[in-house]
Amino acid sequence: MTGALAPSKPLATADRCDRCGAQAYVRAVLTGGGDLLFCAHHGRKYSEALRSNGADIQDETDRLIETPAVTPDEER
């Protein structure tokens, strides 16, 4: 996040984009209170405008490129 607000809890699988309902990876914490949740696509679309209006952005889109752990059975 970019501002002085307390860090928000990590986004969970149950958190959904307020625009399209996909899994949320971006949280915009608004200066007047409250927050908006966005998928990666809508997060990219709206983050700069929200940030320029004072919102703090929690971006967890890096989770989309994480590789799953390989189990011993899969190593063969």
Side-chain angles (χ1 to χ4, degrees), residues 24-61:
Y25 289 94
V26 177
R27 174 183 282 125
V29 180
L30 307 175
T31 56
D35 60 3
L36 296 170
L37 301 178
F38 296 108
C39 63
H41 166 78
H42 287 111
R44 283 189 300 273
K45 185 173 181 177
Y46 299 117
S47 287
E48 284 307 312
L50 288 161
R51 188 177 281 120
S52 70
N53 284 300
D56 284 318
I57 306 297
Q58 176 186 348
D59 185 341
E60 297 182 11
T61 55

Side-chain angles (χ1 to χ4, degrees), residues 15-33:
D15 291 321
R16 309 315 283 179
C17 176
D18 290 327
R19 189 77 175 130
C20 70
Q23 184 174 347
Y25 289 94
V26 177
R27 174 183 282 125
V29 180
L30 307 175
T31 56

